[in-house]
Amino acid sequence: MNASSQAKPFVSINSSEGASSSIPAPMVDIGGVMPLESLAPVPASETPGVQLQRAREARGMSVSDVADVLRFSPKQIELLESDRYDDLPGATFVRGFVRSYAKLLKLDVIPLLAALAPAVPPTPIEVIPPANMGEAAHSGLVDRSLAKRIPWGTIVAAVVIMLAIGLVLYVVQTAGLVNMLGAVSSAKVDTPPVLPAATESATPKSSAPSATPEAAAPATTSVDMPPTTPLVAEFDERSWIEVRDAAQKVIFVGEYPKGTRQMIDGQPPFQIWIGKASAVRLTYGERKVDLKPHTREDVARFSLE
Amino acid sequence: MFGFLRSYFSNDLAIDLGTANTLIYMRGKGVVLDEPSVVAIRVEGGPNAKKTIQAVGKEAKTMIGRNPKEISVIRPLKDGVIADFTVTEQMLKQFIKRVHESRLFSPSPRIIICVPSGSTQVERRAIRESALGAGASQVYLIEEPMAAAIGAGMPVSDATGSMVVDIGGGTTEVGVISLGGMVYANSVRVGGDKFDESIISYISRNYGMQIGDNTAENIKKKIGSAFPGTEVKEMEVSGINRAEGIPRKFTISSNEVLEALSEPLNQVVKAVKDALEKTPPELGADIAERGMVLTGGGALLTDLDRLLCEETGLPVIVADDPLTCVARGSGIALEKMDKLGSIFANE
């Protein structure tokens, strides 16, 4: 039995009956009674139980012979042969039982199990290959380092998403700001608050410093006024103001906080009354208006043409 | 809270991380991957030798025993547990990537993964960590006998005893299950690999020939049997004659393979007998009526059911498609994950 240089194919299987003389006898000799070929093919219309029973009888075996080998009880074997699967313990057992029984009788298992399928359904076992099967099996060496890799895909996606969010926020904010500003400035002009005129006259200081033109103007601008010789009032501190036009109609009145810049439009000459003259700078067209000559007790009252 | 987002980015998976094969079941799709647990790694030269994965799965398996010096072919699992942590993690990562369609984000699925019932806490933690390292967001462990029984379609939640014998590549798991829990579980580190080793050493001893792992596996699959039959098969194989140092061909018969396998098969039989001995009598009666179910690749060894039948005197049946039983069982557990809590194992 040692190695010999035979010119046979590398792997071959030979089923040789001749070699059986040198082989130890099987413990239970059932299969050797009849060769497989001598069995008449069973009609497919027969139920699995009938097919099994017929094959068993053709081999000259009794139910108890089968029970001795398979270790199922004779009652279970009879139940199977009469196709009463409901009295047997479940699909797995019935299918396994049929498989063992068919192997013992040297029947082809596959058609038997197929015939059994309507009564005893098998569990689905198909292997579904994924759509990109074999993608990782390519022998490329480029990017499959064992070292931890940086998740570039995730980083790029995160940056893109952040940029998108930033852009959306920017657009929303600018649009919202413009709308809001328009609303605020028109509201300030349209709704004159009713205030007592003499409340600011009690301020003790009389030395009002002249307006400093280099002071930074606040960024608020009125957008819905035409720019024809505008009168602009800028407030360095909180102050009260009233402006009347040529028809003596109040066109601008109210108390305004520090940092306010208001454009006043109307028909000159204006009658102007400022509660705290030191806190307000007036510009008419290109010209700065000096409030000092008209100020008494920090209250300025004058007309402007 | 972000469950809907997770289900959009990745599908939950059940993985049978076996010594011989890794199977992946995807929720709602079935078994989507069945590949050998083999990784081929190329080590580039130089002082900062870079390691890259050359191949995984089937392609890597063909390289076993045929690799040049700079490629090492690794089976990262041994005896059902992780032997090489990094390589296992990378292999899992490749397999998970393969079953997920290409997406911008790397997948982070919830994973159910099988562990041998006899594995230690350290071994279980290694398996959990490797799955987390491969990108899992959450990892659940399930013991192999439980998964095998569910996959074989046994009534695990009924008040009847179900006995399952799962013969894998590295371990043989024996479990007795009733009312959704394991009444008895044991695993012995004997499986397909031990069968191959026994064939290799038998041939070495009796023929003075050296054969490779893949050749031994071929012999086992084609003419291996666990019980003396009437039909004797022969197979011609080639190996290296140790005395001459030259490749030679020789013929081996199924009865010789049976003799070679007798030792590991005895260990399997002993494990089954131990389980029967320790099974409570009520459940033992159920098993005597219904029999035990064989799953795993070892169940495909010719006449193994006959051997166990003769040795125990109980009916023995082979499950439908025994190779995928554990993966399918884990898959069923995955589908019902939110309902079944108790079937998962702790570390």
Side-chain angles (χ1 to χ4, degrees):
Chain A
M1 289 286 252
N2 213 327
S4 59
S5 55
Q6 297 167 47
K8 284 188 181 173
F10 170 58
V11 172
S12 67
I13 304 167
N14 305 318
S15 295
S16 63
E17 291 292 324
S20 62
S21 59
S22 64
I23 276 124
M27 283 155 81
V28 181
D29 188 11
I30 293 145
V33 179
M34 249 179 190
L36 185 59
E37 297 75 37
S38 67
L39 280 175
V42 276
S45 59
E46 283 182 346
T47 61
V50 174
Q51 291 182 38
L52 288 167
Q53 189 182 1
R54 216 172 261 250
R56 174 175 62 77
E57 284 163 358
R59 286 181 166 269
M61 291 168 75
S62 67
V63 170
S64 59
D65 289 339
V66 177
D68 278 348
V69 182
L70 297 183
R71 308 286 172 166
F72 280 99
S73 69
K75 189 171 165 258
Q76 285 176 317
I77 293 166
E78 278 163 11
L79 284 172
L80 182 69
E81 288 185 352
S82 53
D83 296 304
R84 285 159 62 192
Y85 309 120
D86 292 345
D87 299 327
L88 289 164
T92 306
F93 295 93
V94 174
R95 294 176 68 79
F97 190 177
V98 168
R99 200 178 279 120
S100 307
Y101 199 173
K103 203 168 88 179
L104 175 71
L105 300 173
K106 296 199 184 295
L107 291 176
D108 192 358
V109 182
I110 294 157
L112 267 177
L113 288 178
L116 202 64
V120 188
T123 43
I125 48 171
E126 57 197 314
V127 175
I128 307 150
N132 56 347
M133 186 73 153
E135 184 243 340
H138 293 153
S139 57
L141 302 172
V142 191
D143 58 353
R144 261 178 248 139
S145 169
L146 276 179
K148 297 254 180 210
R149 279 188 291 131
I150 303 157
W152 285 115
T154 315
I155 289 172
V156 167
V159 167
V160 166
I161 288 170
M162 279 167 72
L163 282 177
I165 291 171
L167 188 70
V168 167
L169 279 179
Y170 176 75
V171 166
V172 166
Q173 217 169 14
T174 29
L177 199 65
V178 167
N179 289 342
M180 205 168 65
L181 275 178
V184 165
S185 60
S186 55
K188 277 181 177 173
V189 174
D190 292 342
T191 57
V194 183
L195 284 171
T199 44
E200 296 297 313
S201 57
T203 32
K205 277 193 175 179
S206 59
S207 58
S210 63
T212 47
E214 66 269 17
T220 52
T221 49
S222 180
V223 289
D224 51 356
M225 294 282 185
T228 48
T229 54
L231 179 66
V232 177
E234 289 172 77
F235 293 78
D236 291 329
E237 278 178 62
R238 194 175 185 82
S239 176
W240 182 87
I241 187 169
E242 185 189 280
V243 180
R244 290 169 190 256
D245 64 0
Q248 290 296 309
K249 190 186 159 203
V250 178
I251 54 167
F252 188 68
V253 71
E255 196 178 353
Y256 289 90
K258 176 185 175 184
T260 311
R261 178 187 157 95
Q262 284 292 345
M263 286 175 109
I264 301 151
D265 204 33
Q267 190 63 44
F270 298 107
Q271 293 289 324
I272 300 169
W273 192 3
I274 297 170
K276 194 176 181 185
S278 60
V280 179
R281 283 176 279 130
L282 276 184
T283 317
Y284 186 54
E286 296 297 313
R287 176 166 66 96
K288 288 190 192 79
V289 180
D290 192 3
L291 299 178
K292 233 176 190 174
H294 315 291
T295 306
R296 197 183 299 160
E297 296 288 327
D298 208 20
V299 175
R301 195 170 184 179
F302 60 101
S303 64
L304 186 69
E305 290 189 16
Chain B
M1 184 169 137
F2 295 109
F4 69 99
L5 274 178
R6 183 177 51 224
S7 62
Y8 174 73
F9 286 123
S10 42
N11 294 322
D12 295 342
L13 304 175
I15 301 180
D16 171 15
L17 184 61
T19 312
N21 293 294
T22 296
L23 285 89
I24 298 184
Y25 180 104
M26 188 183 274
R27 192 174 203 156
K29 286 192 179 172
V31 179
V32 291
L33 181 130
D34 178 3
E35 293 269 338
S37 307
V38 186
V39 184
I41 291 172
R42 177 184 286 270
V43 184
E44 280 159 27
N48 303 319
K50 200 174 140 198
K51 286 182 175 177
T52 49
I53 293 179
Q54 172 88 11
V56 285
K58 290 187 187 95
E59 195 187 340
K61 197 185 176 185
T62 58
M63 297 180 185
I64 292 178
R66 299 191 171 95
N67 51 311
K69 205 170 59 187
E70 61 268 22
I71 295 177
S72 50
V73 184
I74 296 171
R75 294 183 61 187
L77 289 117
K78 200 166 166 41
D79 297 337
V81 294
I82 291 174
D84 189 326
F85 187 83
T86 319
V87 177
T88 306
E89 193 180 302
Q90 291 299 321
M91 182 181 79
L92 270 180
K93 202 179 258 182
Q94 294 293 331
F95 286 154
I96 291 171
K97 208 158 104 187
R98 209 182 280 190
V99 299
H100 271 92
E101 284 152 27
S102 304
R103 282 183 182 151
L104 184 63
F105 295 95
S106 52
S108 69
R110 287 193 295 177
I111 290 181
I112 292 185
I113 198 158
C114 300
V115 289
S117 59
S119 54
T120 63
Q121 192 188 28
V122 174
E123 289 161 345
R124 286 178 186 211
R125 188 160 291 177
I127 289 174
R128 179 193 286 277
E129 293 290 328
S130 71
L132 286 171
S137 59
Q138 276 172 302
V139 179
Y140 300 86
L141 302 179
I142 185 170
E143 292 190 347
E144 273 165 23
M146 177 61 88
I150 297 173
M154 297 170 86
V156 288
S157 51
D158 293 1
T160 52
S162 303
M163 183 167 178
V164 65
V165 181
D166 177 54
I167 304 166
T171 57
T172 293
E173 308 272 332
V174 186
V176 178
I177 297 156
S178 174
L179 289 169
M182 303 270 276
V183 178
Y184 173 85
N186 188 23
S187 76
V188 285
R189 302 202 167 185
V190 179
D193 287 354
K194 280 274 155 53
F195 296 165
D196 296 347
E197 282 170 27
S198 299
I199 292 172
I200 291 172
S201 66
Y202 178 88
I203 288 172
S204 168
R205 218 167 40 235
N206 295 317
Y207 287 85
M209 302 285 285
Q210 254 187 323
I211 58 164
D213 290 349
N214 282 352
T215 310
E217 197 185 342
N218 266 335
I219 294 172
K220 177 186 74 182
K221 281 183 179 166
K222 293 198 169 149
I223 62 168
S225 79
F227 195 76
T230 48
E231 218 181 339
V232 175
K233 292 172 181 170
E234 285 184 343
M235 180 173 167
E236 193 178 65
V237 288
S238 56
I240 305 271
N241 188 306
R242 283 192 307 177
E244 299 172 38
I246 294 168
R248 293 267 183 239
K249 287 181 179 170
F250 63 100
T251 305
I252 188 166
S253 77
S254 57
N255 283 316
E256 287 171 291
V257 179
L258 173 62
E259 198 186 326
L261 294 178
S262 64
E263 199 207 319
L265 285 173
N266 278 339
Q267 290 182 50
V268 172
V269 170
K270 187 176 173 295
V272 172
K273 282 183 172 170
D274 280 353
L276 288 169
E277 215 174 281
K278 286 169 186 155
T279 303
E282 287 293 337
L283 299 178
D286 293 336
I287 294 164
E289 195 200 325
R290 292 152 174 265
M292 66 186 87
V293 175
L294 294 188
T295 65
L300 296 172
L301 184 66
T302 311
D303 284 339
L304 182 61
D305 50 340
R306 277 295 298 285
L307 174 75
L308 288 170
C309 199
E310 291 297 328
E311 290 283 345
T312 60
L314 295 175
V316 178
I317 58 176
V318 179
D320 282 322
D321 196 24
L323 275 170
T324 62
C325 268
V326 172
R328 279 185 289 126
S330 321
I332 293 167
L334 181 75
E335 302 280 0
K336 298 178 179 170
M337 184 150 82
D338 305 320
K339 290 172 202 154
L340 304 167
S342 61
I343 57 163
F344 297 114
N346 297 318
E347 264 179 12

